[in-house]
């Protein structure tokens, strides 16, 4: 039994190390947790993926915070937009083969063990699309596309797209 556990652990570590050396990988999306977190089938193993550089409102009212999205303080409204972001992600991603692209600035996994990646579907940067549609804000950490994503968020904010129509 101990030998089987060791083999499983070594296999998982090898898979992680191989993935860390790759810049991108193609996977199938099997579930959408919320607007910025998905579950993918990666070589027969289910993995949670957190989208780099974007943050969608939480699905539960009590998990949102006032002023997290500019001056929006209506937490119920934010939760509604969290559900809209999730539904948007389901339509675009669920059941599809997507490309995950990794960013050496963020590292491969976050503190919760989720893989960190940009998600591309049919060549479209889905993370950027969330910002363009006003379904997310930029999650400011060090990542390659920070400046580009900030411009997308500012454009959506200035044009009052999506949830930004409720900001002043």
């Amino acid at each position: 039994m101990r030998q089987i556990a060791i083999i499983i652990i070594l296999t998982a570590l090898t898979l992680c190390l191989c993935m860390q050396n790759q810049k991108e990988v193609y996977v199938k999306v099997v579930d959408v947790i919320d607007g910025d977190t998905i579950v993918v089938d990666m070589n027969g193993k289910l993995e949670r993926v957190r989208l780099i550089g974007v943050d969608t409102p939480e699905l539960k009212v009590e998990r949102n915070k006032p002023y997290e999205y500019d001056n929006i303080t209506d937490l119920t409204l934010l939760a509604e937009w969290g559900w809209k972001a999730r539904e948007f992600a389901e339509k675009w991603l669920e059941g599809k083969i997507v490309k995950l692209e990794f960013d050496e600035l963020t590292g491969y996994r976050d503190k919760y063990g989720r893989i960190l990646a940009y998600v591309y579907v049919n060549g479209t940067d889905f993370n950027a699309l969330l910002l363009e549609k006003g379904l997310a804000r930029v999650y400011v950490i060090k990542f390659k596309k920070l400046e580009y994503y900030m411009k997308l968020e500012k454009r959506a904010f200035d044009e009052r797209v999506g949830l930004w129509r409720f900001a002043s």
Side-chain angles (χ1 to χ4, degrees), residues 90-155:
E90 285 176 329
K91 287 177 186 169
W92 269 80
L93 303 175
E94 201 160 39
K96 305 245 174 63
I97 301 297
V98 300
K99 178 174 80 170
L100 301 182
E101 182 181 293
F102 309 114
D103 186 328
E104 60 276 357
L105 295 178
T106 64
Y108 182 67
R109 291 190 185 266
D110 68 7
K111 65 183 177 181
Y112 304 107
R114 299 174 297 189
I115 293 171
L116 298 170
Y118 303 104
V119 176
Y120 291 85
V121 58
N122 297 325
T124 298
D125 179 346
F126 183 76
N127 306 34
L129 190 60
L130 287 169
L131 295 166
E132 289 171 357
K133 299 291 185 183
L135 293 166
R137 69 180 176 100
V138 173
Y139 186 68
V140 181
I141 55 170
K142 284 179 78 176
F143 64 100
K144 289 185 297 191
K145 297 183 178 189
L146 176 60
E147 190 175 316
Y148 171 60
Y149 280 11
M150 293 295 285
K151 287 178 185 176
L152 294 175
E153 180 187 296
K154 183 178 182 335
R155 184 181 313 135

Side-chain angles (χ1 to χ4, degrees), residues 2-53:
R2 186 175 176 194
Q3 288 176 333
I4 292 172
I6 291 171
I7 290 171
I8 290 170
I9 291 169
L10 289 175
T11 302
L13 285 173
T14 302
L15 176 63
C16 288
L17 289 173
C18 289
M19 297 305 296
Q20 285 178 317
N21 292 330
Q22 292 182 345
K23 292 189 182 215
E24 61 186 45
V25 64
Y26 287 86
V27 296
K28 182 175 184 178
V29 177
V30 296
D31 195 15
V32 172
I33 303 301
D34 58 27
D36 54 40
T37 307
I38 59 176
V39 177
V40 301
D41 181 338
M42 188 175 283
N43 297 322
K45 185 174 190 282
L46 297 182
E47 290 275 7
R48 281 191 181 223
V49 176
R50 176 65 168 79
L51 280 61
I52 294 173

